[in-house]
Amino acid sequence: MHEPTPKNARSTKTRSMLQIDDVEVKPSTTLKGISRTQSHFLVASEKLDRVTRRVIAPYAQIERKGQKEEEEKPGIYLDINRFNVFLEDTVDLDTLLYETAAVLKTVTDSSGVFVYIVDKLRNEIVLMQPNTKSPDRHTINIPIEEGKIAAAHVASTKEYLLLSDVQRDRRFAEGLKWVDAKVALCMPVVKPDGECYAVLELYRTYAKAYDENVVYTVISVVCWAGAAVHQAQARVTLQKTSHLNNELRALLQNYFCDLASIDTMLTDMLAVVKSFIGAMRSSFYVIDKENITGQIFADMWDDGWAGEKTTMPRKRTKVNLTMEQTPAGLVARTGESLNVYDAYKDSRFANEIDPTTGTVVRSCLVSPILDKGGVMGVVQLTNKINAQPFNPEDELIFSVFVSYCSLIVHFYNMEQKKIYHHNLNRVFSELMSLHLKPCKHEFEEVMETNGIVVPPANFDSYNYHISEGSREDMSALVCYMFNVTLEKLNLDREVMSDFVLTILGCYRNNPYHNAEHAFCFTHTMYLILVNNREYFDSNEIIALMLAGLCHDIDHPGFNNNFLALCKHPLAKMYRTSMLEYHHYFLAKKIIEDKKILNKLPEADQLRIMEEIKFNILCTDLAVYFQIRAQLTPLLADNLFNWQDSSHRKMLKGILMTTSDLSGCCKPFGVAKAIAESVYEEFYDQGDRERAMGYTPLSMMDRRRCINQPAEQIQFLSVVVLPCLLVLQTIFPNTNILTDNCRKTQESWHEEIEIRGQKLWRQELSMPNSKKNMVLKNDEEKS
């Protein structure tokens, strides 16, 4: 075998030099699933104008190209452009409706017109005055009922009313109440959803009844005016909710990215929704689920009055919602939304002033935040600025806000649990550190020998095993190997001794995965690195040696498959390589606690810990097979490059697997004893699997222990020898490992012959094979 190539050269090994069994490799294919979410949108805003024009066009005379120009008569025809205003961002629907009524008055030769707006919440119609832009206009409210006043009757029935003789109509003794009219036409403005928005009352003071053409014209215009009102309201609501969505998403992003605290974020969100709906005050309650008194306690955030100009977040306060006769308390107890139109007339609330916020409540909109466990929060808006109750549009916008609030409360509760478990882990970590301290007597003994220990004569041979000497020397010999390889760390004797004893003490008393196995692994890695030191930098050597000693720390004696089978907590924490991730987690903790790397620059510390993680994960045989499948073709085609970091990582993975399996490369007496320890763990796992109702694998089935030699031969052929040959291709001076492995394989063959058994062959397991038939015939003849 040739010596390894320098770092700056490519591997010169040929395919013929790689005597590795072919391994079928199934390339991993990633299915790129494209999730297509079908969304349903309303009519796009840019199309709404065209839709409205097209719908209203049959009922309005508009100028067409090619027609004869006529003299324009102002005030006679409807102006379609006025309907476009319905689709603007800010729209005064009442003003436009009054102007439309004025146009209808002219078109129908009416003496006058009254416009009533329906107040659905109070079940009243409100007479609109001509000066609708004045905020201080006097309003006249009439209850909606049948048979008393014509306009109220129409608002109730939602059907138009034609009065040919107002004064003699006995249904409406008061006539039109406001004027001495002879003829009247009351027309409801009904939206497509069936809601009556307004009532137009056209009248004549002279006795000329409205004919069918007039009625048809008024009905047509009013119908499409109702449709336009509906479109305008829907568009405004949609724009508000869209804008609210954007504002809330921006706030949540800052919060979820830890750019804002819960106090600041909630205060900003309450201010946003208060502004959108026009409320005077907003409050947010998060129910304390951990309270054990049986009462409903909550953390409350209050945004205050609408006129307050401040960006300072409100401090949360603790409130008790159990017995308080307040809207928030009622919603917290019942879990049902609440829209209080007039709190003074609602018998459920005893106090005019909310004791939690100090607010005089006239009207409020309250919604619970629910999860599968019940109410986890409450949001409340109090008193609209215009002194009106909250309407259905407010409820719709508020529902958008509440959906975001549920995310906030969920995230808030998760944060609280995270803080709790973080501190709980710190408590457990301190407790674990206390118990991880090595025995005082062992520490003193290692300190006496550390640095002056003389290793055994054959310590620098791959044939050496700790069983040849005293296991009490294990800690001192590990310190010796660290002193030779980890010079860069410049560790104190006490720190190194403490670290080594702690790591070895964390190995369980398993038959195989114990401190003795960790020593065997570390010793093999030590010899490979010492004999090929020039090919690795100091950080790589540190990472490989530390990973070697820690690679199976706290191993339970079962494999990853069993952890998944019994639903072990580690199987729930990690998706793959559960044990290996656990080993790395503990190794990282002890390395940090003992401050092993603290004398190195921070960049070197980060790199070493990343390499330790990769190295330990490579001890999972599932990872090893992937690495071997990638590295073998590179070596066979002379493409291995020392300057390529990915190639070096794969090589270090092979180093980890080689060291992990090096027990098979000891003299047969030692290798056999190690194999028996492995089987002792396997059979223990198999017994547990059988007790769980599963059939264990052959190597883990105690009933098939007679197959041990054959199984070992197969394991050496399929797993160990290919790994050793890959390493030998790069480092020929490791050939002793390959030779020992072959000798062990031959010794297992002899073991089979001694037992008088035949080695299992694949063709013998095929019932219809020709060789099997020949053997059967031979047996029958004999």
Side-chain angles (χ1 to χ4, degrees):
M1 289 295 178
H2 301 285
E3 292 299 322
T5 55
K7 298 181 186 179
N8 58 354
R10 295 180 181 270
S11 175
T12 57
K13 303 300 174 185
T14 62
R15 186 181 295 272
S16 61
M17 297 180 66
L18 275 175
Q19 302 174 6
I20 302 176
D21 297 341
D22 293 335
V23 180
E24 181 181 359
V25 181
K26 296 181 180 180
S28 60
T29 58
T30 303
L31 298 178
K32 298 180 180 179
I34 303 176
S35 60
R36 298 178 179 177
T37 304
Q38 295 183 353
S39 302
H40 301 279
F41 298 95
L42 297 176
V43 180
S45 59
E46 65 272 9
K47 295 184 179 180
L48 284 177
D49 292 336
R50 296 199 298 271
V51 172
T52 306
R53 292 193 187 99
R54 185 171 65 251
V55 170
I56 299 178
Y59 306 100
Q61 296 185 19
I62 50 180
E63 181 178 339
R64 297 173 181 269
K65 293 183 178 180
Q67 290 183 340
K68 184 179 179 180
E69 295 184 3
E70 298 181 2
E71 185 178 352
E72 185 175 323
K73 298 180 180 180
I76 294 181
Y77 304 109
L78 294 178
D79 186 0
I80 192 174
N81 291 327
R82 294 197 179 276
F83 288 93
N84 295 338
V85 184
F86 283 112
L87 307 176
E88 293 180 356
D89 294 340
T90 57
V91 56
D92 188 349
L93 293 175
D94 296 345
T95 301
L96 293 174
L97 189 61
Y98 194 90
E99 292 178 1
T100 302
V103 174
L104 283 177
K105 171 197 156 197
T106 304
V107 171
T108 59
D109 294 327
S110 297
S111 303
V113 62
F114 293 114
V115 180
Y116 299 89
I117 302 298
V118 175
D119 188 343
K120 184 180 178 181
L121 298 178
R122 295 176 177 174
N123 197 36
E124 296 175 341
I125 56 175
V126 182
L127 178 62
M128 183 186 299
Q129 300 299 320
N131 188 15
T132 56
K133 294 183 180 181
S134 173
D136 299 325
R137 63 178 180 264
H138 178 65
T139 59
I140 301 175
N141 302 337
I142 304 173
I144 296 177
E145 56 186 346
E146 298 183 23
K148 287 190 177 182
I149 298 177
H153 179 89
V154 170
S156 177
T157 61
K158 301 178 184 178
E159 296 179 357
Y160 78 91
L161 187 65
L162 181 59
L163 302 179
S164 57
D165 193 342
V166 175
Q167 297 176 354
R168 295 183 181 182
D169 196 316
R170 296 182 179 180
R171 294 174 297 174
F172 311 107
E174 299 182 10
L176 297 190
K177 195 173 184 178
W178 318 113
V179 294
D180 185 13
K182 305 295 183 181
V183 180
L185 176 60
C186 292
M187 190 67 61
V189 180
V190 181
K191 300 192 295 183
D193 58 5
E195 179 185 341
C196 183
Y197 177 76
V199 176
L200 304 184
E201 192 175 54
L202 297 164
Y203 64 89
R204 289 174 178 173
T205 56
Y206 55 93
K208 181 182 178 182
Y210 291 105
D211 57 23
E212 293 181 356
N213 293 331
V214 171
V215 173
Y216 178 78
T217 300
V218 175
I219 290 176
S220 302
V221 172
V222 167
C223 284
W224 294 108
V229 168
H230 179 74
Q231 287 277 17
Q233 289 180 333
R235 182 170 185 259
V236 170
T237 303
L238 181 62
Q239 287 179 335
K240 284 185 177 180
T241 55
S242 176
H243 190 187
L244 181 62
N245 269 312
N246 294 334
E247 293 290 336
L248 296 180
R249 278 201 304 267
L251 290 173
L252 286 179
Q253 183 178 7
N254 290 334
Y255 176 53
F256 291 156
C257 295
D258 292 331
L259 300 178
S261 66
I262 180 71
D263 297 331
T264 303
M265 195 273 308
L266 279 180
T267 304
D268 290 346
M269 287 191 67
L270 291 172
V272 167
V273 72
K274 186 174 67 174
S275 173
F276 269 84
I277 296 181
M280 298 182 67
R281 201 177 191 99
S282 53
S283 305
F284 194 100
Y285 303 82
V286 177
I287 305 298
D288 182 7
K289 291 285 189 178
E290 302 298 328
N291 180 48
I292 61 174
T293 63
Q295 297 183 328
I296 304 176
F297 285 93
D299 292 323
M300 186 195 76
W301 286 263
D302 184 28
D303 183 58
W305 294 104
E308 297 179 5
K309 303 291 185 180
T310 177
T311 58
M312 182 180 296
R314 303 285 173 177
K315 184 179 180 181
R316 77 182 77 171
T317 57
K318 202 79 171 180
V319 296
N320 188 345
L321 301 176
T322 306
M323 301 301 296
E324 292 180 355
Q325 291 183 329
T326 61
L330 180 63
V331 171
R333 293 190 294 271
T334 63
E336 298 179 358
S337 300
L338 191 65
N339 188 353
V340 180
Y341 300 150
D342 192 343
Y344 292 102
K345 297 180 181 179
D346 199 318
S347 60
R348 294 173 295 181
F349 312 116
N351 300 322
E352 296 179 356
I353 299 178
D354 188 343
T356 59
T357 62
T359 308
V360 177
V361 179
R362 293 192 305 271
S363 62
C364 61
L365 190 58
V366 194
S367 177
I369 303 172
L370 302 171
D371 65 355
K372 60 182 180 181
V375 180
M376 59 179 181
V378 176
V379 187
Q380 176 175 334
L381 297 180
T382 305
N383 299 344
K384 292 194 71 173
I385 296 176
N386 59 7
Q388 295 294 318
F390 293 95
N391 56 38
E393 179 186 348
D394 298 330
E395 294 180 8
L396 179 61
I397 297 175
F398 192 54
S399 65
V400 174
F401 176 71
V402 172
S403 64
Y404 281 95
C405 291
S406 63
L407 294 177
I408 296 169
V409 177
H410 275 294
F411 190 80
Y412 174 74
N413 291 335
M414 289 174 59
E415 282 290 306
Q416 296 303 111
K417 291 180 180 179
K418 174 185 173 184
I419 294 172
Y420 170 78
H421 287 288
H422 173 73
N423 289 284
L424 183 64
N425 286 336
R426 291 183 61 184
V427 173
F428 287 155
S429 179
E430 292 178 4
L431 180 64
M432 188 172 75
S433 299
L434 179 66
H435 289 278
L436 284 179
K437 279 190 174 183
C439 172
K440 177 181 179 181
H441 302 290
E442 291 182 354
F443 180 76
E444 292 176 351
E445 184 178 348
V446 173
M447 284 296 297
E448 290 177 1
T449 59
N450 186 21
I452 59 174
V453 64
V454 178
N458 63 338
F459 189 75
D460 289 337
S461 169
Y462 288 108
N463 293 334
Y464 174 79
H465 191 261
I466 190 63
S467 59
E468 297 179 8
S470 174
R471 286 179 171 81
E472 297 177 354
D473 297 334
M474 190 184 303
S475 303
L477 290 174
V478 172
C479 291
Y480 169 79
M481 291 187 286
F482 277 13
N483 279 328
V484 174
T485 54
L486 309 186
E487 298 174 355
K488 182 180 178 180
L489 292 181
N490 191 23
L491 294 175
D492 298 331
R493 291 177 58 195
E494 292 185 1
V495 174
M496 181 180 294
S497 301
D498 184 22
F499 173 73
V500 170
L501 286 170
T502 300
I503 294 294
L504 294 178
C506 287
Y507 278 86
R508 301 189 188 184
N509 191 25
N510 297 321
Y512 173 68
H513 289 99
N514 49 35
E516 184 176 307
H517 168 65
F519 178 86
C520 179
F521 186 116
T522 307
H523 177 253
T524 303
M525 180 66 72
Y526 161 76
L527 292 179
I528 295 174
L529 294 177
V530 167
N531 294 323
N532 302 279
R533 186 189 293 267
E534 66 275 13
Y535 293 93
F536 301 96
D537 61 38
S538 57
N539 288 338
E540 290 175 316
I541 293 175
I542 293 172
L544 286 168
M545 289 298 292
L546 292 179
L549 186 64
C550 303
H551 81 284
D552 271 337
I553 189 172
D554 193 44
H555 196 292
F558 310 109
N559 62 17
N560 286 323
N561 291 331
F562 182 78
L563 296 184
L565 196 65
C566 67
K567 298 180 181 179
H568 191 276
L570 287 176
K572 298 177 181 179
M573 293 171 60
Y574 309 108
R575 290 178 295 178
T576 59
S577 304
M578 289 82 79
L579 286 172
E580 288 71 26
Y581 273 106
H582 178 58
H583 303 327
Y584 168 71
F585 169 77
L586 291 179
K588 181 173 182 290
K589 172 177 173 46
I590 297 175
I591 289 173
E592 291 175 349
D593 286 352
K594 303 300 181 181
K595 301 179 180 179
I596 297 298
L597 306 177
N598 279 23
K599 292 183 179 180
L600 299 178
E602 186 176 354
D604 288 350
Q605 295 182 36
L606 293 174
R607 181 191 167 194
I608 289 173
M609 291 310 304
E610 289 177 359
E611 294 226 358
I612 290 176
K613 180 179 181 180
F614 174 80
N615 294 340
I616 292 179
L617 292 180
C618 285
T619 58
D620 185 352
L621 285 181
V623 178
Y624 153 69
F625 284 119
Q626 298 175 12
I627 292 177
R628 195 181 81 184
Q630 298 176 49
L631 185 58
T632 301
L634 293 176
L635 296 174
D637 296 334
N638 303 325
L639 297 177
F640 182 86
N641 185 0
W642 282 97
Q643 304 303 318
D644 192 321
S645 60
S646 63
H647 294 186
R648 297 175 69 89
K649 286 182 67 175
M650 288 188 286
L651 170 60
K652 285 178 280 190
I654 294 296
L655 282 179
M656 294 295 294
T657 304
T658 299
S659 302
D660 203 12
L661 303 176
S662 60
C664 302
C665 306
K666 302 298 180 181
F668 182 65
V670 176
K672 183 179 179 182
I674 292 175
E676 290 173 350
S677 300
V678 173
Y679 276 106
E680 189 175 345
E681 281 191 16
F682 280 177
Y683 291 154
D684 182 27
Q685 177 175 324
D687 293 342
R688 292 172 182 261
E689 290 179 357
R690 194 180 299 279
M692 294 168 62
Y694 298 97
T695 301
L697 299 176
S698 176
M699 292 185 68
M700 298 183 176
D701 193 344
R702 194 181 299 275
R703 302 173 184 178
R704 301 184 182 184
C705 61
I706 197 172
N707 296 329
Q708 286 184 12
E711 290 170 347
Q712 281 301 297
I713 293 173
Q714 294 165 14
F715 179 75
L716 294 174
S717 299
V718 175
V719 179
V720 183
L721 270 175
C723 179
L724 298 176
L725 289 170
V726 169
L727 182 64
Q728 182 180 331
T729 303
I730 301 176
F731 297 132
N733 55 18
T734 61
N735 64 322
I736 184 63
L737 293 172
T738 307
D739 296 340
N740 285 351
C741 182
R742 294 189 188 279
K743 291 177 182 178
T744 301
Q745 197 173 33
E746 293 172 1
S747 299
W748 282 116
H749 276 285
E750 295 175 1
E751 188 83 9
I752 292 176
E753 293 175 1
I754 293 174
R755 296 186 183 186
Q757 299 174 359
K758 294 182 178 180
L759 176 63
W760 173 86
R761 287 178 291 177
Q762 182 178 5
E763 58 267 17
L764 295 181
S765 65
M766 302 172 62
N768 298 325
S769 65
K770 294 182 180 180
K771 290 186 178 181
N772 196 21
M773 296 298 294
V774 171
L775 289 174
K776 286 184 177 180
N777 293 334
D778 292 342
E779 291 176 359
E780 291 175 357
K781 291 178 182 180
S782 60

